[in-house]
């Protein structure tokens, strides 16, 4: 049986420049970031002078972990990605606010909702658990679904709302719920609430519940 591997294709505002030796080099808009990736077990393709062009490098040692900037500290900047406008922010945990590999899932979800709306014209209710900065929620709302976005991080929900605003989706039917996922789901079961689709992309590690 033929197997298909979905990949994140380079776009105007995102590209994976190189990876290997436990790191990846990416371009978000006009900004190049260099950060660790323990899954990049192969050898780098580009030589060191290309990697040194990074505008910011995430460095981790036994004492601390932090971004080191070539010039000025980078706070946040918008990019166009997967049909959305999203803010990129280098965080203390090396993340940027999006996981680019999710774009193939977002495209699949968007197409599925659009097709269902076209065929049946019914409301589609989506529950996005561990919603983070809102990419999946915004894609669903953009396609015509009603969305309940749940995350236990206030800063992530604030970030997601900012993404909704710059994507022109602030008026879409999205409920932003600041709550522990387990607690929220238990309450929804007791209420008898049901959804047509549930998205779950939990973090591999978190400091919260």
């Amino acid at each position: 049986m033929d197997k298909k591997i979905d990949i994140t294709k380079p776009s105007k505002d995102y590209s994976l420049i190189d990876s290997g030796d436990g790191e990846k080099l990416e371009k978000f808009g006009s900004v190049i970031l260099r950060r660790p990736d323990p899954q990049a077990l192969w050898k780098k393709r580009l030589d060191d002078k290309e990697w040194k062009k990074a505008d910011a490098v995430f460095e981790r040692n036994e004492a601390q972990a932090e971004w080191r900037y070539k010039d000025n500290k980078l706070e946040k900047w918008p990019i166009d990605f997967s049909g959305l406008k999203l803010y990129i922010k280098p965080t203390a945990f090396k993340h940027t606010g999006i996981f680019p590999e999710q774009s193939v899932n977002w495209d699949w979800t968007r197409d599925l909702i659009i097709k269902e709306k076209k065929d049946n014209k019914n409301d589609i209710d989506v529950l996005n658990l561990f919603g983070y900065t809102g990419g999946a929620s915004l894609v669903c709302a953009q396609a015509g679904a009603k969305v309940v976005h749940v995350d236990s991080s206030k800063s992530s929900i604030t970030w997601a709302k900012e993404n909704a605003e710059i994507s022109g989706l602030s008026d879409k039917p999205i409920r932003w719920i600041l709550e522990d996922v387990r607690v929220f789901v238990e309450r929804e079961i007791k209420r008898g609430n049901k959804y047509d689709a549930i998205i779950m992309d939990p973090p591999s590690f978190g400091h919260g519940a």
Side-chain angles (χ1 to χ4, degrees), residues 3 13-14 18 23 31 34 44 61 65-66 71 81 93 97 107-108 110 146 149 159 163-165 172-173 175 184 194:
K3 293 183 179 180
D13 277 354
Y14 174 78
D18 195 14
E23 291 186 289
V31 179
R34 176 177 181 173
K44 293 173 181 174
N61 55 47
E66 63 181 357
D71 297 314
F81 184 72
F93 301 102
D107 290 344
W108 178 81
R110 182 189 285 113
K146 296 180 179 179
H149 173 109
W159 194 340
N163 285 336
E165 183 176 357
K172 295 296 183 180
R175 288 177 57 208
F184 179 80
K194 296 183 179 181

Side-chain angles (χ1 to χ4, degrees), residues 4 82 103-119 124 139-140 142-144:
K4 178 187 176 186
S82 194
S103 66
V104 291
N105 293 328
W106 294 354
D107 290 344
W108 178 81
T109 302
R110 182 189 285 113
D111 292 344
L112 195 66
I113 292 172
I114 290 173
K115 183 179 185 303
E116 183 67 20
K117 292 281 287 185
K118 181 180 178 181
D119 293 345
I124 298 173
V139 162
C140 292
Q142 188 183 55

Side-chain angles (χ1 to χ4, degrees), residues 141-182:
Q142 188 183 55
K146 296 180 179 179
V147 183
V148 175
H149 173 109
V150 186
D151 202 285
S152 63
S153 167
K154 185 176 181 180
S155 61
S156 290
I157 287 184
T158 298
W159 194 340
K161 289 180 179 179
E162 291 174 349
N163 285 336
E165 183 176 357
I166 63 170
S167 289
L169 300 172
S170 294
D171 61 340
K172 295 296 183 180
I174 305 174
R175 288 177 57 208
W176 307 102
I177 307 294
L178 177 62
E179 182 65 273
D180 175 74
V181 163
R182 185 189 296 272

Side-chain angles (χ1 to χ4, degrees), residues 8 12 25 37-38 54 69-70 72 82 94 99 107 147 157:
T8 301
K12 179 174 74 74
L25 189 67
D37 189 336
Y69 298 93
K70 179 185 291 186
N72 299 323
S82 194
K94 82 173 182 178
F99 293 91
D107 290 344
V147 183
I157 287 184

